[in-house]
Amino acid sequence: NSALFHPALLCSPQVLRLLRTEDETVPNPVKRKLLEDAAVAAVAYLRKAYGNDMKQWRWGKLHKLKLHHPLAAMLHMGDRLNIEFEHPGDTTTPNQATYDISLNADGEPCFDIVKSSGAVAACRVVFVPSNWDASKSCVTVGQSGKYLSRHYGDQQRLFERNRGKPMAWTRAKVEKTCIFKANLIAK
């Protein structure tokens, strides 16, 4: 089956590990030929998908984060509930996102991050112990899972741009940034 030998699958961690070993069950000329064929096929695929200008190629164009709301399909509201955007990270970067290399319905490689096959940070936090009020955080897309809430996707842009919202730690900062105060009275 030619799909088993797609260049994207040839570059899976398992195959790369085999190609790097000193194991003689796969002779070096065969390893070299596999890598050369995979590189040529990968460049051909990228040219076909994204054009000849390599400066326009971005990992994020190929690698998208797809957040599917659990009720989207049942409610026929995928266009409103599901969120998708380019994600530049992979398993070897601080902007981590895992994925399973697979082929889509058209037989093309699929590097998407979806909940069933990949993982991405649900929350990012940068703590600054020398100045706690300089700490920042964000969640993947928003504070709320309720799609009618203004907080459903309110942090998506922060997440996409690797930014965070300020975190108030000291009493002065909490009082300065407070937008709502509730008084709890014990009975």
Side-chain angles (χ1 to χ4, degrees), residues 50-126:
Y50 303 109
N52 288 323
D53 184 359
M54 290 186 187
K55 291 179 183 174
Q56 297 301 314
W57 297 359
R58 281 194 326 273
W59 174 235
K61 284 184 177 180
L62 187 64
H63 188 243
K64 296 193 185 308
L65 176 58
K66 296 182 175 186
L67 301 168
H68 296 168
H69 193 286
L71 299 177
M74 184 174 57
L75 298 174
H76 306 287
M77 295 177 66
D79 58 327
R80 283 195 241 153
L81 297 178
N82 295 337
I83 297 172
E84 177 180 321
F85 54 89
E86 291 185 14
H87 194 283
D90 67 12
T91 57
T92 62
T93 64
N95 191 5
Q96 204 167 47
T98 62
Y99 56 91
D100 289 334
I101 299 174
S102 60
L103 300 179
N104 65 21
D106 299 325
E108 297 294 336
C110 181
F111 295 91
D112 293 336
I113 311 156
V114 292
K115 186 173 178 161
S116 60
S117 66
V120 69
C123 177
R124 292 183 182 149
V125 182
V126 176

Side-chain angles (χ1 to χ4, degrees), residues 69-71 81 139 141-149 151-154:
H69 193 286
L71 299 177
L81 297 178
V139 293
V141 289
Q143 195 68 28
S144 175
K146 298 177 183 176
Y147 82 95
L148 292 176
S149 167
H151 299 294
Y152 185 67
D154 64 346

Side-chain angles (χ1 to χ4, degrees):
N1 182 343
S2 64
L4 294 176
F5 300 101
H6 193 286
L9 301 180
L10 284 173
C11 292
S12 70
Q14 296 83 359
V15 173
L16 291 175
R17 203 173 305 117
L18 173 68
L19 294 174
R20 280 194 300 260
T21 66
E22 297 300 320
D23 184 354
E24 293 302 318
T25 56
V26 180
N28 283 336
V30 173
K31 292 178 184 179
R32 182 178 307 281
K33 179 75 170 129
L34 277 172
L35 288 172
E36 287 172 359
D37 290 351
V40 168
V43 170
Y45 169 77
L46 291 168
R47 282 198 167 119
K48 178 182 166 194
Y50 303 109
N52 288 323
D53 184 359
M54 290 186 187
K55 291 179 183 174
Q56 297 301 314
W57 297 359
R58 281 194 326 273
W59 174 235
K61 284 184 177 180
L62 187 64
H63 188 243
K64 296 193 185 308
L65 176 58
K66 296 182 175 186
L67 301 168
H68 296 168
H69 193 286
L71 299 177
M74 184 174 57
L75 298 174
H76 306 287
M77 295 177 66
D79 58 327
R80 283 195 241 153
L81 297 178
N82 295 337
I83 297 172
E84 177 180 321
F85 54 89
E86 291 185 14
H87 194 283
D90 67 12
T91 57
T92 62
T93 64
N95 191 5
Q96 204 167 47
T98 62
Y99 56 91
D100 289 334
I101 299 174
S102 60
L103 300 179
N104 65 21
D106 299 325
E108 297 294 336
C110 181
F111 295 91
D112 293 336
I113 311 156
V114 292
K115 186 173 178 161
S116 60
S117 66
V120 69
C123 177
R124 292 183 182 149
V125 182
V126 176
F127 293 112
V128 184
S130 62
N131 178 5
W132 287 105
D133 286 333
S135 301
K136 297 189 180 290
S137 71
C138 76
V139 293
T140 311
V141 289
Q143 195 68 28
S144 175
K146 298 177 183 176
Y147 82 95
L148 292 176
S149 167
R150 65 186 173 101
H151 299 294
Y152 185 67
D154 64 346
Q155 294 182 41
Q156 178 180 342
R157 297 289 173 246
L158 291 172
F159 188 86
E160 286 181 58
R161 292 178 176 94
N162 294 310
R163 301 287 184 257
K165 59 180 178 47
M167 297 175 71
W169 287 88
T170 61
R171 173 154 307 277
K173 184 75 166 186
V174 169
E175 288 176 359
K176 182 179 178 184
T177 58
C178 177
I179 57 170
F180 178 79
K181 190 183 278 188
N183 292 319
L184 303 176
I185 301 169
K187 288 188 177 188

